Amino acid sequence: MKEHLFADHPREHCGLFSVFGVPGAAQLIYTGLFALQHRGQEGAGIATSAGAKVHSTKGEGLLNEVFTVRPPTALPGHLGIGHVRYSTTGSSRPQNVQPIVCECSDGLWALAHNGNLTNAKRLRHIYQDSGAIFQTSTDSEILMHIIADPQYRTRTRRVERALSELEGAFAFLIMTKHSVMATRDRFGFRPLSIGRLGQGYVFASETCALDQVGATFERDVLPGELVVVDEKGIRSSTFCEPVAGPLGQCIFEHVYFARPDSIVFGQNVHETRIKLGRQLAREHPVAADLVMPVPDSGNEAALGFSQASGIPMDYGFIRNHYIGRTFIMPEMAQRQDSIDLKLAIVPGVVRDQRVVVVDDSIVRGSTCKRRIAALRRAGAKEVHMRVSCPPVRHPCFFGIDFPSSGELIAAGHSVPEIRDYIQADSLAYLSLEGLLGAFEQPGDFCTGCYSGKYPVAVTEEHSKQDLEKT
Ligand code: 5GP
Ligand code: MG
């Protein structure tokens, strides 16, 4: 892979939720998205239909900032789709918030995307060269343009054709005024599950959202599958040949991104993380007085570490959950010596203690360094850092927001160098074999961010601002 591919690349994690066949769909979608808020905090939107037209509301910010009127009475209907969006600076523009709603020759369509399309730039140029006008700078919008192409008569056929042109990672929810469609790319990079709610159907990025609305989990949308639900019922088709080799399910969903109460790719995330912590303790034991997690992402791995090592667990960090995006000014966030408002320390827990700090991952290393310095100020005698996944050395082209390799600390530095930078007494990461050992089908996961080996070649050059004109 050429170095230019490591340049700033598109970054989006998102959460998707959809309902078909339940009155008051908008309120359910709101609740479902609320359970998926961890997947994206920068924008939210819902589109619904009662059969006559598509209604939509979307905006920047958290769900409860966008939907101040609840239940969302402006969004009538028994079907709809919703989206919570995460994007990094640069392309956080109001028009990029999803669902994207467009009027095609046969009426209004809406779509919502989780993932990252690796051939969106090329396809966009082709469409622009023939006169198409794009509303957003997202990679997702291209799907709408291909669907609008009136080559095929039936809607399903048009969607299948359009999906077969896409490369990269996607879970899509698509709706017309009569139907909802749910699909995943052929490698299955991003999760999407199907649930039942009474006579209706629900789709969600994670099963925690199904639980929250009282739906029962039915199964995952399969890689390469298109599921269509309308008044005639539910139908399934495939839009591509199944992949010849292993799948590319994102292992980082289990390491960090998904909520512990979710079942992702057939396995409970909480259980996975406990296993990772236990394995970490076996691989990298250390003499210490207590194990403490970096909350919330390190909680389960720390518990597993404590169980396997016999070192008691305690809570030395207190996380403040009320820090909004507007509270921390950019200048303040950049100040290395600023008090870490998000994570406070209980001095009595750490004073004079040898502590093992367990976190799920180190990305830039900067927050980790600040926390270790704070622990020392609070009187910790030794600080041993343990990380429940291998060093993140490579970018993700498939929908996880890792910075460019220049900012990924493990891309340019050895473990001892990172230990010196974060000023830990010791630092150790879980091995790739140890990570894979926590899964029943380890071959079906993408480990590109650790190994540099991606399940499919990335042929297009990427930049976060690729699709921005200004
Ligand atoms: P670092 O020490 O590298 O600055 O930050 C590591 C922390 O970032 C870990 O606690 C980890 O849970 C968190 N983290 C890992 N991946 C992501 C991500 O994609 N987005 C956000 N917001 N945090 C992440
Ligand atoms: Mg964390």
Side-chain angles (χ1 to χ4, degrees), residues 43-348:
I46 298 175
T48 61
S49 167
K53 60 186 254 203
V54 172
H55 309 264
S56 85
T57 302
K58 53 186 184 171
E60 291 180 289
L62 295 168
L63 207 62
N64 63 6
E65 295 167 329
V66 177
F67 295 92
T68 48
V69 179
R70 292 189 295 274
T73 43
L75 297 169
H78 61 285
L79 72 99
I81 64 175
H83 188 257
V84 286
R85 176 168 200 267
Y86 174 108
S87 88
T88 52
T89 45
S91 81
S92 187
R93 307 198 294 184
Q95 60 269 51
N96 283 349
V97 179
Q98 300 188 17
I100 298 172
V101 182
C102 277
E103 180 149 10
C104 300
S105 57
D106 61 351
L108 283 165
W109 289 65
L111 68 78
H113 175 209
N114 173 208
N116 179 46
L117 305 177
T118 52
N119 64 340
K121 194 172 149 191
R122 186 172 56 76
L123 291 173
R124 186 178 174 117
H125 286 155
I126 295 170
Y127 276 79
Q128 282 176 327
D129 286 348
S130 60
I133 296 164
F134 283 74
Q135 303 176 26
T136 76
S137 65
T138 66
D139 57 330
S140 320
E141 188 183 348
I142 187 65
L143 180 62
M144 196 63 99
H145 289 262
I146 316 178
I147 289 175
D149 212 331
Q151 268 193 55
Y152 293 96
R153 222 169 301 138
T154 73
R155 291 197 171 102
T156 311
R157 198 60 208 102
R158 268 159 59 197
V159 173
E160 285 169 2
R161 207 280 310 221
L163 293 169
S164 71
E165 303 238 344
L166 304 180
E167 288 169 16
F170 58 84
F172 270 108
L173 293 175
I174 306 165
M175 69 174 272
T176 66
K177 58 190 182 182
H178 301 297
S179 64
V180 163
M181 305 179 201
T183 186
R184 285 169 75 201
D185 70 77
R186 60 205 210 102
F187 287 93
F189 281 104
R190 310 256 65 97
L192 189 61
S193 300
I194 310 175
R196 291 300 310 259
L197 185 62
Q199 296 304 303
Y201 289 89
V202 178
F203 299 92
S205 290
E206 290 182 38
T207 60
C208 67
L210 300 180
D211 300 339
Q212 219 91 75
V213 300
T216 48
F217 171 72
E218 186 142 296
R219 66 175 177 88
D220 287 342
V221 176
L222 301 174
E225 183 185 25
L226 173 66
V227 178
V228 182
V229 202
D230 59 19
E231 64 281 3
K232 285 182 265 169
I234 187 162
R235 293 183 302 285
S236 162
S237 62
T238 49
F239 59 85
C240 62
E241 292 291 309
V243 289
L247 297 177
Q249 299 168 148
C250 173
I251 207 159
F252 205 65
E253 290 274 354
H254 271 274
V255 169
Y256 165 78
F257 199 35
R259 234 170 68 162
D261 51 335
S262 290
I263 296 166
V264 175
F265 310 132
Q267 196 168 314
N268 173 239
V269 174
H270 172 87
E271 285 169 25
T272 306
R273 291 184 188 164
I274 298 241
K275 284 188 197 166
L276 300 182
R278 287 190 188 143
Q279 180 61 18
L280 183 60
R282 287 191 284 266
E283 289 183 14
H284 301 290
V286 58
D289 304 307
L290 67 97
V291 177
M292 52 186 261
V294 177
D296 295 326
S297 56
N299 288 351
E300 293 77 16
L303 182 58
F305 194 103
S306 168
Q307 289 169 351
S309 64
I311 302 170
M313 175 144 138
D314 206 343
Y315 298 94
F317 285 122
I318 299 297
R319 179 165 171 183
N320 187 325
H321 289 265
Y322 308 101
I323 294 184
R325 282 155 302 116
T326 47
F327 187 72
I328 300 183
M329 299 292 133
E331 322 81 73
M332 197 174 164
Q334 278 157 17
R335 266 179 50 196
Q336 289 292 314
D337 62 349
S338 73
I339 306 159
D340 198 340
L341 287 163
K342 199 167 164 184
L343 226 47
I345 290 172
V346 188

Side-chain angles (χ1 to χ4, degrees), residues 13 252 256 297 359-368 401:
H13 344 274
F252 205 65
Y256 165 78
S297 56
D359 204 354
D360 67 286
S361 56
I362 294 179
V363 181
R364 290 182 174 83
S366 49
T367 55
C368 185
D401 171 31

